Amino acid sequence: MDFSPFDESLLATCSGDETVKLWRLCDPELQQPSSPELTLRPGHGRLELVAFHPTSSGLLAVGATKSPLLWDTSRQDAPLAGSYSLLVCYLFGQTVTATPFYDLIPLSSSLSLTLSLVSHCLADTSTRGVAMVPKLALDVMSCEVMRVLQLTDSCIVPISYQVPRKVCEFHDDLYPDTVGTTPAMSADEWWQGGNKQVKKNLHSTTNSHPTVLQDPARGCSTSSSPLSTPSSSAAPSRSPSSTSGLSSGFLPSPSPSQSAKAIQNLLGPTSKFRHIQGAVMHRDTHITNLRGLNLTTPGESDGFCANSQRVAVPLAISGGQIAILERSQPGRLPDTSMPTIQNSVNVVDFSWDPFDTHQLAVAGDDAKIRVWQVPEGGLTETLTEPEVILQGHTEKIYSIKYHPLASGLLVSSSYDLTVRLWDVDSGEEVKILSGHQDQIFGMAWSPDGKLLATVCKDGKVRIYDPRKSAEPVQEGPGPEGHRGARVVWVCEGKYLLVSGFDSRSERGLYLYAADSLSTGAIDTAMVDVSPSTLIPFYDPDTSVVILTGKGDTRVHIYEVVTEAPHFMPCSSFNSPEPHKGLAFLPKTECSVRDVEIAVGLMLTKTTIEPVAFRVPRVKKEFFQDDVYTDTAVCWEPALTASAWLSGMNGHHKKISLKPKDMTPVSEAPKEAPVRKYLPSSVYLEEKTDEQKKEELLTAMVAKLGNMDDPLPQESFEGVDEDEWAKYLAQIIVMGAQVVGRAFARALQQEYAASQAAAKARGSSAQHSAAASSITGMTVQEAQQILNISTLTPEEIQKNYEHLFKVNDKSVGGSFYIQSKVVRAKERLEEELNIQTQQEKPQKTET
């Protein structure tokens, strides 16, 4: 692709469909056109390159598979093929084979040397492409001579090259006159043999080839050329007063908000959760030594389920046994057998009651649903008799779901192609929903509890209003694949998100408008290729959906929004080994101090490991009220099953997750901006020894204060000058006597101390050297590691505990650094023992 040098809104592209398209772009804040202004079809195979002519309007060079082509777009004639060397000479003047950009304006030798000092830039990320910004967009008042845009995987990074000069002044030697935006000739003139160049004329702004002057004090003129005609229109010149304060000498620079909007329109919106981080919590919270897990649960089941107090895990033991594990008792499970729930038939699906952490509903392959009551504190013996048995299905059950608002209301789907509603408290079947033609993959209640959505193997997505009709109220096309699917309501119940497969067995996400299901998916995002169905978890507070499949090692994360693009990908989480399922806990289990938006339990072959999904923030000491909106109290029912069946509706009350001792980040005091890095001129400027000495002296004088200022005692009133002389003489005599006696006494004490130290130094030095040789670390190294200036047991222990904790592997630390901290503590303790042993004989002699 290439922009026209004479019209900044004209873009030419070529692609593998063997066409060249010309696009007329509009303002960045407006929607760009969806169709080109002109389409050219050379018919010479695949097209690789396209470039506008640098001096004439309407000429395009196109690189085809076997030959280069020239197009006169004003006439749309057939292309003229020519030799490669001829085209390169005519269009570019030289053959450029290297990646770096070249500024063809002649510069002085001293300036070239200066540029060589600033022409190297080490990028932080891999580069996918680079482009140089036109000269007209440079910030001449900051001595910017080049600006390059670096394209990475996720963003566009501007890289500015500036000459270290005095800013806010225009430097003529840096900015010779540069060409403008008016073509030197038309395409017809070039075809007839013309070779005019865009002239550079300092004072001429009225001829046919105006030159743009880069000095803001001279004003500027710009011109544009349409594609087919070389006519131009000059912009009004600017006076020095009108351009003062602008970042460029030509046109006003866009404001930061405008630049941000332009980049956002180019790259599309991004999610504030795009850098979300998933991390396995500390090993102390894990449940380990799981044995005999059932890893062959049906695809419609999540594999295991959990609530805020306990976890239910199916076991591969005859009788359909389920283990109940208390979350308050993490650690290694005993090798012996433990009490379970015995269903007597194979388990196909099970679910905890959202309003009763002790009630577990289990569906078996005998078409029955058994409701169990787990005693307080967990199982102490095997349960064999359920509280309630729900019967009504004639074939094996697929899945079961509790109602999100009404207590004691359960829905189930079965091989008999029906969906049935149950009143758990009474044990009765209350509704039968029909209309499915094949296997029911998944079900989901709407957030308000009024509607029920299903996705079926017959390729349909259906919405039911169970209290009004047994038939679906809406029906639309679902995913084409037949391997499996799941459905969940998103965006306050306005949309349905379906995870399924396409006709090529590629996993994808499909978004449907809940009020117009028959029109099909409004957006689709393909994820990857894998045999397992993506199981979604949706957080209504952040509109983040977390998806993973059984046997996967990757957890995919998206933010779902109501405007295109509806799926905004975020950072994914990768587990070290394949997991068998992921069950999420209520929002109250999240630590707001660590900015956790979701906490799940990951089931592996032998362990259950908590995983926290955190949003990285700088000011974590504040409550992130933009992340934590008031959350629904989903663990308390809004109404009873009988009330809902009678036509009543309800909604959960909401609470704030803000702790009392935290201040919202929206109310945090504004900090003054601090410049992190000094300007490049500070580092590039070479200072002489005299300049460095002068700066040092200036700094010392500034600290000492002004030597010309009067001293405070000069303003005191005292005795006459004669009395001052007498008193001064007495003070001098007495001071000399005192100083003499003190000096002699200090000399004697110093001599005695040096003798004692010399006597003790021999043995202590030998012991200290031996200790250093054994531990491989000197005392000075150990003090540096623990950051200790004086050897005291209290300070050693305090610094050791702090450094050992912050370098723990569970919080991202290093075991190697921890070992260094331990060795440093041992070396300093050994040194304290040596000093103590040397002090004992000295005290005895004293």
Side-chain angles (χ1 to χ4, degrees):
M1 63 185 71
D2 188 29
F3 273 104
S4 169
F6 312 117
D7 189 347
E8 61 181 11
S9 64
L10 186 63
L11 175 68
T13 63
C14 68
S15 57
D17 61 357
E18 304 181 8
T19 62
V20 179
K21 297 179 180 179
L22 299 178
W23 306 81
R24 177 69 61 180
L25 307 182
C26 57
D27 189 273
E29 297 184 359
L30 303 177
Q31 184 177 2
Q32 299 299 331
S34 58
S35 59
E37 189 174 82
L38 179 64
T39 300
L40 309 175
R41 303 182 184 276
H44 287 255
R46 181 183 177 89
L47 305 179
E48 302 289 348
L49 301 170
V50 62
F52 278 99
H53 196 282
T55 61
S56 62
S57 62
L59 279 181
L60 270 178
V62 181
T65 304
K66 297 181 180 180
S67 63
L69 310 170
L70 280 181
W71 278 86
D72 184 351
T73 56
S74 60
R75 297 183 299 176
Q76 302 186 27
D77 292 343
L80 172 66
S83 67
Y84 178 79
S85 59
L86 177 63
L87 285 176
V88 171
C89 291
Y90 262 101
L91 297 182
F92 307 105
Q94 61 177 353
T95 303
V96 180
T97 59
T99 301
F101 297 102
Y102 297 93
D103 190 349
L104 301 180
I105 297 177
L107 302 174
S108 63
S109 59
S110 61
L111 179 58
S112 299
L113 178 61
T114 304
L115 282 175
S116 66
L117 295 175
V118 296
S119 61
H120 296 84
C121 177
L122 182 61
D124 296 333
T125 57
S126 58
T127 301
R128 300 304 179 190
V130 286
M132 187 169 68
V133 174
K135 300 284 286 186
L136 298 179
L138 299 182
D139 187 356
V140 298
M141 304 309 291
S142 296
C143 303
E144 183 183 28
V145 296
M146 184 187 297
R147 189 187 306 165
V148 175
L149 299 181
Q150 176 201 15
L151 175 64
T152 67
D153 291 329
S154 59
C155 60
I156 296 177
V157 181
I159 302 174
S160 176
Y161 293 86
Q162 299 178 352
V163 177
R165 294 283 187 89
K166 186 176 181 180
V167 297
C168 299
E169 290 186 6
F170 182 79
H171 299 272
D172 294 329
D173 58 334
L174 295 183
Y175 302 103
D177 299 335
T178 186
V179 296
T181 57
T182 300
M185 53 187 164
S186 64
D188 292 335
E189 292 175 337
W190 186 84
W191 285 113
Q192 294 171 6
N195 194 23
K196 296 181 181 179
Q197 301 296 317
V198 180
K199 297 181 181 180
K200 299 175 182 178
N201 190 334
L202 179 62
H203 301 289
S204 175
T205 58
T206 58
N207 58 12
S208 59
H209 314 300
T211 298
V212 176
L213 308 178
Q214 288 192 319
D215 187 352
R218 304 173 187 168
C220 69
S221 62
T222 60
S223 60
S224 60
S225 170
L227 179 63
S228 57
T229 59
S231 61
S232 61
S233 59
S237 60
R238 299 180 180 272
S239 63
S241 60
S242 64
T243 59
S244 60
L246 300 178
S247 60
S248 173
F250 321 94
L251 297 174
S253 297
S255 64
S257 60
Q258 293 175 339
S259 300
K261 289 181 179 178
I263 295 178
Q264 184 176 6
N265 290 334
L266 179 63
L267 299 179
T270 57
S271 171
K272 63 180 176 182
F273 305 104
R274 62 186 179 276
H275 299 304
I276 189 174
Q277 299 171 352
V280 178
M281 292 188 179
H282 194 270
R283 187 174 177 83
D284 293 343
T285 61
H286 297 186
I287 299 176
T288 60
N289 198 32
L290 284 174
R291 297 184 302 167
L293 293 180
N294 182 8
L295 304 179
T296 59
T297 53
E300 293 76 24
S301 173
D302 293 348
F304 81 117
C305 60
N307 58 31
S308 60
Q309 296 186 9
R310 46 190 59 90
V311 185
V313 181
L315 301 178
I317 304 175
S318 60
Q321 298 189 40
I322 296 178
I324 305 298
L325 308 175
E326 298 293 318
R327 292 192 57 238
S328 60
Q329 301 173 9
R332 180 181 175 87
L333 296 176
D335 296 332
T336 58
S337 60
M338 53 186 176
T340 61
I341 293 178
Q342 189 169 357
N343 293 274
S344 303
V345 294
N346 293 331
V347 175
V348 294
D349 196 16
F350 49 101
S351 176
W352 288 106
D353 187 333
F355 313 121
D356 186 355
T357 58
H358 299 276
Q359 188 176 102
L360 179 69
V362 182
D365 61 1
D366 61 349
K368 296 179 181 179
I369 301 174
R370 295 168 175 83
V371 181
W372 303 86
Q373 194 72 18
V374 179
E376 187 69 33
L379 293 180
T380 56
E381 60 182 2
T382 299
L383 299 182
T384 58
E385 293 296 330
E387 295 288 325
V388 180
I389 297 179
L390 307 177
Q391 290 185 198
H393 283 294
T394 59
E395 298 288 345
K396 186 173 72 172
I397 296 174
Y398 291 125
S399 60
I400 56 176
K401 295 286 183 184
Y402 273 97
H403 195 278
L405 294 175
S407 62
L409 192 62
L410 186 70
V411 65
S412 61
S413 62
S414 169
Y415 275 83
D416 59 14
L417 305 184
T418 64
V419 175
R420 302 179 184 239
L421 271 69
W422 307 87
D423 187 341
V424 177
D425 297 334
S426 63
E428 298 178 354
E429 175 188 294
V430 294
K431 293 286 183 180
I432 300 178
L433 307 180
S434 58
H436 298 93
Q437 305 299 322
D438 208 330
Q439 179 182 354
I440 303 170
F441 286 142
M443 305 179 296
W445 287 102
S446 61
D448 56 8
K450 298 179 181 179
L451 305 175
L452 179 69
T454 64
V455 57
C456 186
K457 191 176 181 179
D458 60 7
K460 299 291 185 179
V461 179
R462 297 176 174 88
I463 295 180
Y464 290 85
D465 189 342
R467 293 178 293 185
K468 294 182 178 180
S469 173
E471 297 295 328
V473 295
Q474 284 198 72
E475 186 176 291
E480 298 178 359
H482 303 298
R483 303 180 64 93
R486 294 298 179 91
V487 60
V488 64
W489 296 76
V490 298
C491 300
E492 300 179 350
K494 298 177 181 178
Y495 295 88
L496 280 176
L497 174 64
V498 176
S499 63
F501 296 84
D502 64 3
S503 58
R504 298 173 298 176
S505 295
E506 184 177 0
R507 296 195 297 190
L509 304 179
Y510 304 84
L511 191 67
Y512 298 83
D515 57 354
S516 57
L517 204 59
S518 59
T519 60
I522 61 175
D523 203 351
T524 303
M526 306 315 296
V527 180
D528 58 10
V529 177
S530 182
S532 59
T533 304
L534 287 172
I535 303 174
F537 164 77
Y538 178 72
D539 178 23
D541 297 342
T542 58
S543 195
V544 169
V545 61
I546 303 175
L547 309 103
T548 189
K550 299 177 185 177
D552 287 1
T553 58
R554 185 177 182 183
V555 178
H556 305 272
I557 306 174
Y558 294 86
E559 183 183 2
V560 185
V561 295
T562 57
E563 299 178 355
H566 299 88
F567 300 105
M568 293 193 288
C570 305
S571 301
S572 58
F573 165 71
N574 295 299
S575 58
E577 60 177 307
H579 50 261
K580 310 306 175 184
L582 193 64
F584 284 86
L585 303 175
K587 200 61 175 286
T588 52
E589 297 295 320
C590 298
S591 172
V592 298
R593 300 183 187 276
D594 295 328
V595 201
E596 295 175 356
I597 65 169
V599 175
L601 299 179
M602 182 173 63
L603 177 65
T604 67
K605 288 184 178 180
T606 58
T607 63
I608 296 178
E609 304 173 359
V611 180
F613 295 89
R614 304 184 178 102
V615 179
R617 289 294 175 95
V618 177
K619 299 180 179 181
K620 295 176 65 175
E621 66 273 14
F622 295 98
F623 177 72
Q624 309 296 320
D625 51 354
D626 62 324
V627 173
Y628 296 106
T629 58
D630 291 347
T631 189
V633 184
C634 57
W635 53 92
E636 295 180 1
L639 67 168
T640 63
S642 58
W644 184 85
L645 291 170
S646 64
M648 294 181 60
N649 295 314
H651 58 85
H652 288 301
K653 63 180 181 180
K654 294 190 175 184
I655 60 172
S656 173
L657 298 177
K658 185 183 81 69
K660 295 181 179 179
D661 59 343
M662 293 186 72
T663 304
V665 70
S666 59
E667 301 176 7
K670 303 297 182 181
E671 297 180 358
V674 179
R675 187 167 187 173
K676 295 183 179 180
Y677 306 104
L678 295 175
S680 59
S681 58
V682 176
Y683 302 101
L684 296 175
E685 182 181 357
E686 293 292 338
K687 299 179 181 179
T688 63
D689 294 339
E690 293 296 329
Q691 289 176 330
K692 295 178 180 178
K693 186 184 299 184
E694 183 66 25
E695 291 180 358
L696 180 61
L697 292 175
T698 303
M700 293 175 62
V701 171
K703 288 185 177 181
L704 292 175
N706 193 348
M707 301 300 293
D708 297 333
D709 293 341
L711 297 174
Q713 56 265 36
E714 293 182 3
S715 61
F716 294 167
E717 294 182 1
V719 297
D720 297 335
E721 293 183 359
D722 295 339
E723 293 180 349
W724 262 115
K726 181 174 66 174
Y727 292 146
L728 183 60
Q730 294 177 357
I731 291 173
I732 291 174
V733 172
M734 293 176 62
Q737 294 175 353
V738 172
V739 171
R741 295 192 190 99
F743 180 80
R745 190 180 299 110
L747 190 61
Q748 293 174 357
Q749 293 176 353
E750 181 65 19
Y751 178 77
S754 63
Q755 291 295 327
K759 186 185 296 182
R761 191 179 301 116
S763 59
S764 62
Q766 294 177 359
H767 289 295
S768 180
S772 300
S773 177
I774 293 173
T775 60
M777 183 181 295
T778 64
V779 178
Q780 291 77 10
E781 292 175 345
Q783 287 180 303
Q784 290 178 351
I785 292 174
L786 292 185
N787 194 22
I788 292 176
S789 57
T790 58
L791 294 182
T792 60
E794 295 79 10
E795 189 173 1
I796 292 175
Q797 185 64 26
K798 177 182 177 182
N799 289 14
Y800 164 76
E801 292 177 353
H802 171 69
L803 293 175
F804 189 87
K805 182 178 180 181
V806 298
N807 287 286
D808 192 271
K809 192 174 182 180
S810 62
V811 295
S814 169
F815 179 78
Y816 172 78
I817 298 178
Q818 275 190 324
S819 63
K820 282 286 188 181
V821 172
V822 173
R823 289 175 57 195
K825 177 177 178 290
E826 294 175 349
R827 179 65 185 91
L828 295 181
E829 289 178 346
E830 181 67 23
E831 186 66 22
L832 285 177
N833 292 335
I834 294 174
Q835 294 181 2
T836 303
Q837 293 175 1
Q838 294 299 326
E839 290 175 359
K840 289 181 179 179
Q842 296 178 7
K843 292 181 179 179
T844 304
E845 294 175 2
T846 305

